[in-house]
Amino acid sequence: MERYISDTLALSMGIGKLLLENGAETYRVEDTVYRVAQSYGYLNIHVYCVPNTIILNVETKDGDVYNRLWRVPTRDTNLGKVKEANELSRQITAGNLTVTEARAQLKIITNQKRIYQPYERYLAGAILSGFFALMFLGTWIDLIGAVVAGGLGYIFFKQINDLTNLQFFSELTSSFIIGWLVVLLVTVGIGDNMDIMILASVMTLVPGRAITNGIRDLMAGDYVSGLSILADALLTASAIGIGVAGVLAIV
């Protein structure tokens, strides 16, 4: 019995952790963990989630109370894993999987590597920056400059972040590099509008998911999570602004 309880609680928390570390909203994590635990017959289920922690409290039919607390130190954006975790939770609640089968599938999803190679993500970031330049009413030469600055800036961001694991420093440094690259490109004639090129090039660093999830959590009444996520987004925006402003102040 103790083994069953340990396995089912680990499974419930594991799915929640997978969702949280890959960009799911707080309400989605709490609801999924609740439904999975409920499907295994637990009573008086309480789930509390903040951006880096999940707490689960359940009661068995015999009246025994169990608690679990898992810390989620890293967060990324991988909506593919979020989708697969949701599908796994639906299969569990529908009774289509045993605990052993569900844990095996969870392990497979957790260990999955990204579909896209690093160079593909860098290329996508560069192209994205270029088309943002057009969206901001830049010229075709601005698009070329934004592709170069945005692509190289995104590469620097990923490499620095992997080395330091300090997102604020990585974003500040990358935005500073992007600013200098744009100044250099405009100086040599690759670009007409410096402000549009800088704006387009830093768009790959803008915390769009964090802002969206933070507002969504606030609307759902999850004020601690919402404010925490928005504070993280504000730090990112500040890092980008400081980096670009530093270049413009020197120029």
Side-chain angles (χ1 to χ4, degrees):
M1 183 64 181
E2 288 293 329
R3 177 72 178 184
Y4 174 82
I5 292 172
S6 177
D7 287 348
T8 52
L9 292 182
L11 178 59
S12 301
M13 294 291 281
I15 293 175
K17 178 177 181 290
L18 182 65
L19 288 168
L20 188 60
E21 68 186 2
N22 285 287
E25 310 93 316
T26 300
Y27 84 93
R28 185 188 300 274
V29 177
E30 292 181 344
D31 182 66
T32 301
V33 174
Y34 179 91
R35 290 176 183 273
V36 173
Q38 187 181 50
S39 71
Y40 289 118
Y42 293 111
L43 307 173
N44 296 326
I45 302 166
H46 300 281
V47 185
Y48 182 71
C49 175
V50 290
N52 59 0
T53 305
I54 306 175
I55 302 173
L56 173 63
N57 178 281
V58 300
E59 181 181 338
T60 66
K61 293 178 181 179
D62 297 330
D64 297 322
V65 177
Y66 292 87
N67 299 285
R68 292 291 186 275
L69 185 153
W70 281 20
R71 180 171 172 79
V72 184
T74 59
R75 297 194 71 179
D76 197 3
T77 301
N78 191 332
L79 299 184
K81 285 191 176 183
V82 171
K83 175 181 176 295
E84 292 188 23
N86 283 331
E87 290 295 331
L88 176 59
S89 69
R90 292 189 184 99
Q91 291 185 56
I92 292 171
T93 55
N96 297 331
L97 295 173
T98 65
V99 177
T100 303
E101 291 171 339
R103 294 193 70 185
Q105 284 202 24
L106 176 62
K107 185 176 181 180
I108 291 172
I109 297 171
T110 302
N111 293 333
Q112 277 181 354
K113 295 184 179 180
R114 286 185 175 270
I115 298 174
Y116 302 106
Q117 297 298 319
Y119 76 88
E120 293 175 311
R121 285 182 279 151
Y122 298 151
L123 181 60
I127 295 172
L128 181 69
S129 299
F131 282 102
F132 266 117
L134 288 184
M135 191 178 76
F136 297 144
L137 304 180
T139 63
W140 286 101
I141 194 69
D142 292 334
L143 179 147
I144 296 173
V147 166
V148 175
L152 290 175
Y154 188 63
I155 292 173
F156 276 111
F157 167 71
K158 285 296 185 181
Q159 295 300 318
I160 295 171
N161 196 48
D162 289 342
L163 288 173
T164 65
N165 200 28
L166 295 173
Q167 188 168 334
F168 181 87
F169 176 76
S170 305
E171 289 157 348
L172 190 152
T173 306
S174 300
S175 59
F176 186 80
I177 291 171
I178 286 172
W180 275 116
L181 286 172
V182 170
V183 170
L184 178 62
L185 289 169
V186 172
T187 302
V188 299
I190 306 176
D192 298 322
N193 302 287
M194 184 185 299
D195 53 346
I196 291 177
M197 288 172 60
I198 290 176
L199 185 59
S201 299
V202 299
M203 288 302 292
T204 54
L205 308 179
V206 172
R209 179 191 57 80
I211 295 172
T212 303
N213 285 358
I215 294 174
R216 177 64 183 83
D217 286 344
L218 287 177
M219 293 173 64
D222 297 314
Y223 299 116
V224 174
S225 294
L227 291 175
S228 298
I229 294 171
L230 287 177
D232 181 61
L234 180 61
L235 280 175
T236 297
S238 300
I240 295 171
I242 292 170
V244 172
V247 174
L248 297 178
I250 296 172
V251 173

